[in-house]
Amino acid sequence: MALDPFVVWAFRVSDEPWAGFLIGSLILNLACVMLGDVTSILARRLNRKVYGAYHDEMVKHHNLSVKALRNSDKDAYKAVNKQAHEAFGKYFFSQAGAFALSIWPLPFALAWMEMRFGGIPMELPFSIPGVGKSVFYPFFFIPIYIFARIAYGKLMRLSPAYRRVLEWTKHGKGEEMLSFVDLLKPSPDQDADEAGVKGTDGPEGKEKP
């Protein structure tokens, strides 16, 4: 109720009802996306050490499990892979929490929409199979939010200033995860053995001069 005067103006930009509703929904959703993004960025910055520790632990144990597979060490793989799954769970849920912070304004926007438009049927110019000729506000409001979120993310990443902000929130030491394709590559021990074989001449194993 307190926010009503600051929100309802967006729906009165146009005297045409449909245009006013769609423009107002877009402005309100953009405000939700921007406010949620600022909150998420601040949370990632404040918790970057915790997120970084979870990320580095996940990458470390994953890479160790890949190396264990390369060396055909099943016992080591099972032990390290279990730790990798636990580390992945910690990192995944920490990032899920950060994502939840980016959408917290949406429930408040939906509560306001319910107060203003709840229970009011909106007549469509044509009938949609499975939907009918009238819908309620979520039919438009939720897709507009998804569109606003995607468009905002793509456009903001074109800005060098915004990319610097994302770097400001970056966490972890930057170590890359090994791919399971790396299992097809020879291990360092195999490389050393092959180098030793190439350095010998004939069945007697004499070194080449």
Side-chain angles (χ1 to χ4, degrees):
M1 291 294 294
L3 292 174
D4 185 70
F6 302 98
V7 179
V8 73
W9 69 268
F11 292 80
R12 295 173 177 168
V13 171
S14 173
D15 294 331
E16 204 284 317
W18 271 107
F21 174 79
L22 295 176
I23 293 172
S25 296
L26 180 60
I27 293 174
L28 180 56
N29 276 315
L30 281 174
C32 290
V33 171
M34 293 173 65
L35 184 57
D37 188 42
V38 170
T39 307
S40 180
I41 285 173
L42 291 175
R44 290 175 187 276
R45 173 65 180 179
L46 292 173
N47 294 285
R48 67 190 185 282
K49 291 184 178 179
V50 176
Y51 294 161
Y54 289 158
H55 177 270
D56 292 340
E57 183 183 3
M58 176 186 69
V59 173
K60 174 186 174 182
H61 288 103
H62 169 80
N63 289 349
L64 287 174
S65 67
V66 173
K67 292 176 182 178
L69 280 178
R70 284 180 62 184
N71 295 320
S72 302
D73 191 339
K74 293 183 179 180
D75 292 334
Y77 170 76
K78 290 180 180 179
V80 177
N81 192 51
K82 181 180 178 181
Q83 293 176 313
H85 280 292
E86 292 176 355
F88 173 79
K90 292 179 183 178
Y91 184 69
F92 174 82
F93 285 109
S94 70
Q95 297 308 293
F99 172 78
L101 286 173
S102 71
I103 62 173
W104 72 264
L106 182 60
F108 292 94
L110 287 171
W112 184 87
M113 292 292 292
E114 181 66 25
M115 180 184 73
R116 279 284 184 172
F117 300 99
I120 301 176
M122 305 177 68
E123 294 295 328
L124 299 174
F126 50 85
S127 180
I128 300 177
V131 175
K133 201 172 181 180
S134 65
V135 295
F136 295 97
Y137 74 89
F139 182 83
F140 293 100
F141 192 80
I142 299 300
I144 291 174
Y145 175 81
I146 295 172
F147 166 78
R149 189 178 181 91
I150 294 173
Y152 173 87
K154 290 184 178 296
L155 291 175
M156 290 299 289
R157 280 171 173 76
L158 297 176
S159 168
Y162 187 77
R163 291 199 297 269
R164 286 195 294 270
V165 171
L166 294 181
E167 285 292 325
W168 184 62
T169 66
K170 194 173 181 179
H171 51 265
K173 296 178 180 178
E175 183 181 358
E176 295 184 1
M177 296 180 70
L178 294 177
S179 169
F180 282 101
V181 175
D182 293 328
L183 294 174
L184 303 176
K185 300 177 182 178
S187 66
D189 293 338
Q190 291 173 329
D191 290 339
D193 292 340
E194 290 179 4
V197 171
K198 290 180 180 178
T200 60
D201 183 16
E204 296 81 12
K206 295 180 180 180
E207 293 185 359
K208 291 182 179 180

